[in-house]
Amino acid sequence: MDFELSDLIELFAYKLDDLEAGREPRGGRGSILRLRRRLLETKLPGPLAKRFREEDRRWRELQTAEPSAAAGPEAPARSEPAAGELDLGIVDLPLEEDVPAEGALAQGVLQALAEDVYWAGLRRDLKRVARGLVGGQRYELRLAYAFLQNFEAYAQAPSFARDFNLSKFTLSEPIPALSDPLVTLDDEEIAAALLREVFQIALRLGDGRTYPLPLPPEGVVPYLRRFLRRIIETPESLPLSAPGGGPSTEELRAALDEARRSALTAHEREQLVRDLEAKLREVAAQERRMRMVAEEDRRRFMAAAERLSAILRRYLPAPRGEAAMPVVPEPLGESGAGPKLDELDREATMVTLRRMPTRLALGGVPLTLSVAGEHTQLTVADEDRPLKPGEPLMVPYENWEVWAFLRDDYVHVRLEMREGAQLSALLSEGRVLAHLVHPHRDYAYLRLLRAFSARLKGPVNYEEFAPESAAKFPEASLDTLEAFARKGLGVVKDRLKRTPGGLKLMREVATSLGLEPEGQRLLRVLGDWLNFRPPTRETLGGELGVSTIAGEPVNVKAGNLVLSVRQTDDAVYVGAAGAVPRKLGDLLIWPLEDGAVVIAREGSRLAHTQVKVV
């Protein structure tokens, strides 16, 4: 994939060379705009992203350098919106040269809707994150509070605008103590709001408007990490209080010097000096213990800074972080009777349409959009809900949450799984993967899936999927094999959407490979996954374990095997005695002799189940 993207960037550069030389590029300017749009909408790896930004800067310079009022009948080229005009620092959506003003307005509304969806999802995710931070010593929350106070204070300083390394930073407020009565951080809502403020700063940094620091998007998280560490490294950030509220060692030493010079009798002076020396030794020992505690706290705050940086990196949208901006589809076409609902896929879980009275079913959920003048409401489960611009509407419906957003004259509605349902969906996929990665009969299930995938395209030579075709599977690592099988599952899912009734071909594939029992079992688990609906308490069955990742490791038992799930600074790892730990993303398959343990993760929540394959 990287090789293909590098070719596209090289082609983009060649076309810009033609423009610089005054030549018309092959395919015209429209081909450059289409190519640029594709690259902008693709999440590029670090080196390729840097190369594309350099070439894209050339493009913008060429656009600016062209005369805006050239002689002749040609219309001036449409200037693209500046990056600073966007709220989230997301690259702008390039427009074709001949897009009418109404199309440009629709693109701007889609961008605003995408940002609304992003913030709605971020609030939900941060609330879940905050739930795991309000316990214990709350190092992350205390550090986040100190960051907010110090960042806003330093942002007003003249040196802020060019101090990338924070060499001129001075602390304005220390990290609050756990018992500070003015800082209440044991409430989940307050903790989530605190984290949202940190994200708001991260999204405004580098936009050229809010803060005068010219940071590239990729440099935002590293800069914030430096800021957090700079606070912790400042000695005053963790002040040492006098033990028990009594005098400090400096005060006692001064008193001792004064006692030795006092006009007391020799006996009284010796007694006073002995008492002060004993008190000095006691206080000095207490201060040494407090310094050791402070150093331990400093180390723990450093670890908290890494965890906060990891949270930012995970949930900030690219290129600032690793998250992807939500997809908001183009508005449905319209006819005289309203939106063309026949254009909506039956399995669609999101839709964008113009604000007008509409009845539709989205993913099996009946919805009614009503409009009366300036008032808009959405009816879900026979209950009317007002819909206001800039205010997301979230309505639980069975195992879904209906999200609705209003911007200008457009409404976007999408279905999101309720909390916990995503774990069930991952476990359903994991049950299929547990079969695919198991070496039973020379990886029979994985060979079946590959042959089935090929059969969905057309006639197949089944000899290509004989046991010899699995010779390289044992050589691959478990993570590589799991990623390969998961990618194959995605391909099969896409092909089945284009091939109604395609599951029936599995019997032909299994018979041709001599794997009829395995074919029946794979067909069953594959059908369960493809037709998955979030379970209710009545339909949820099987041995299912649910837990939450916190500071302590979580043990997952499967027979005599005990797996340990441990969270480090920026990742979660699963290990067992005598085995190399494996990184847990959202799904992991730990093989057993007769099956596998499936572990699913959604934020700090875990679910696991044992699957029998043989």
Side-chain angles (χ1 to χ4, degrees), residues 547-597:
S547 52
T548 301
I549 308 174
E552 299 297 324
V554 175
N555 290 330
V556 175
K557 295 182 180 180
N560 296 326
L561 177 69
V562 178
L563 299 176
S564 177
V565 185
R566 181 187 302 270
Q567 183 167 14
T568 62
D569 293 341
D570 57 352
V572 176
Y573 290 90
V574 179
V580 178
R582 296 172 58 195
K583 187 174 182 179
L584 171 62
D586 61 346
L587 188 61
L588 183 139
I589 312 300
W590 193 281
L592 304 174
E593 185 175 349
D594 61 346
V597 177

Side-chain angles (χ1 to χ4, degrees), residues 45 120-121 240 308 383 450 514:
L240 290 174
L308 281 176
E383 187 173 349
R450 295 180 65 221

